[in-house]
Amino acid sequence: PSPINPELHLNIRMVPYGQGQRLLVVRDITRLHRLERMRRDFVANVSHELRTPLTVLRGYLEVLEGGGNGNPEVWVRSFKTMQDQVARMQHLIEDLLMLSRLENRNKKPAEVPVAVPEMLEGICREARMLSGDRQHQIRLKAETSLWLRGDERELHSAFSNLVVNAIRYTPAQGSITLHWFKQADQPCLEVRDTGEGIAAEHLPRLTERFYRVDKGRSREKGGTGLGLAIVKHVLNHHEARLEVESELGKGSVFRCLFPAERSHRPRIHLSEAG
Ligand code: ADP
């Protein structure tokens, strides 16, 4: 680190230069240093996220190995917790694989027409199941003739992550509204919730891998800390932008804005249109 500014990392070397002279070479390696730190943090985070459920599993296996006090209730409870932990690890690994796929490809996404309104209907159905007895009000307003050109699987994953977050961070009976429309020329998905909201200081870091406002709460609700990182990558890949507005205690709005060129108008089949 530089003694003047510890944020700055410099590589300083003296090399022979001409007759009896020396050249001082100063290289700014701040970016390299930051990338290396991010890589180390990432490995530490993944290890930690996997170690926690494994420790819990091991604890329960030991209880069951000892006969579970011969109590059927202990067996049932143990199996339930073990299933939850396995699901948590599986979820984390799926998110990691998705992220690694997104980071490792540099070609443009498929230019396939994607029926976004239908996709959003499906996501809302899944969201209602996820909400269960918390009974959120989930509404969808969608322009039916507005489709996108892109990668269906990636877009589904991004939109679904935003809706799952809205459910996760909105108390029972709160409302979640999806709006799919054209803002000026740009296709836009807005996911609005009446949930707990996010303080302004956290907003710039939300899409970092494993960044969470409250680690404990996110884990308890089944979060991996990778959802918004996936959203950001998918949107980047589609030259789209993510905007967030939020007010603590009131709720949040996440907006995905796509370039006008990505919009697609489905062809209406005359026979179907009657
Ligand atoms: P997680 O799996 O923890 O939800 P994400 O990357 O999806 O990870 O989100 C990062 C963090 O952003 C969350 O831990 C949560 O603190 C905050 N967050 C995301 N969406 C919302 C939302 N709709 N309302 C409130 N907080 C949110």
Side-chain angles (χ1 to χ4, degrees), residues 36-216:
E36 177 55 22
R37 201 182 53 213
M38 275 168 67
R39 194 194 59 78
R40 260 186 278 137
D41 285 354
F42 182 67
V43 173
N45 272 319
V46 172
S47 316
H48 180 76
E49 293 296 327
L50 285 172
R51 194 174 59 183
T52 315
L54 277 173
T55 309
V56 178
L57 271 178
R58 213 175 151 165
Y60 278 92
L61 280 172
E62 273 165 22
V63 170
L64 295 182
E65 196 180 26
N69 302 332
N71 182 346
E73 253 180 51
V74 173
W75 280 82
V76 172
R77 225 181 21 241
S78 305
F79 275 122
K80 171 81 184 73
T81 313
M82 284 161 68
Q83 273 168 344
D84 288 349
Q85 298 304 316
V86 170
R88 182 172 151 188
M89 286 194 287
Q90 194 169 6
H91 188 180
L92 175 67
I93 290 185
E94 274 159 17
D95 276 0
L96 284 169
L97 284 173
M98 180 77 187
L99 253 187
S100 124
R101 263 198 304 272
L102 287 166
E103 284 178 342
N104 285 330
R105 48 116 184 77
N106 40 22
K107 54 180 188 327
K108 295 188 108 199
E111 294 279 325
V112 178
V114 179
V116 176
E118 231 171 78
M119 178 188 276
L120 294 175
E121 272 170 28
I123 290 176
C124 284
R125 270 195 302 277
E126 284 159 20
R128 286 189 190 102
M129 297 223 295
L130 185 68
S131 167
D133 53 13
R134 291 196 293 149
Q135 299 186 338
H136 293 99
Q137 286 190 37
I138 301 167
R139 287 191 220 100
L140 167 65
K141 271 197 292 182
E143 249 177 58
T144 46
S145 60
L146 178 56
W147 289 20
L148 277 180
R149 272 181 300 105
D151 185 305
E152 179 154 14
R153 189 158 155 219
E154 286 185 17
L155 291 168
H156 185 279
S157 164
F159 296 165
S160 164
N161 267 311
L162 291 179
V163 178
V164 168
N165 274 350
I167 301 259
R168 196 174 276 155
Y169 302 107
T170 300
Q173 277 148 28
S175 56
I176 288 131
T177 315
L178 278 72
H179 191 190
W180 173 240
F181 63 110
K182 244 187 188 177
Q183 180 169 287
D185 265 354
Q186 293 188 276
C188 175
L189 175 69
E190 192 177 89
V191 181
R192 186 180 286 270
D193 67 55
T194 58
E196 57 195 54
I198 306 157
E201 76 252 32
H202 296 291
L203 295 180
R205 298 193 59 192
L206 284 189
T207 58
E208 283 176 25
R209 298 180 295 190
F210 293 113
Y211 188 83
R212 291 134 148 168
V213 174
D214 181 338
K215 268 203 164 75

Side-chain angles (χ1 to χ4, degrees), residues 6 34 140 185 235 239 253 256 260:
R34 201 172 56 228
L140 167 65
D185 265 354
L235 294 189
E239 306 99 25
V253 187
C256 310

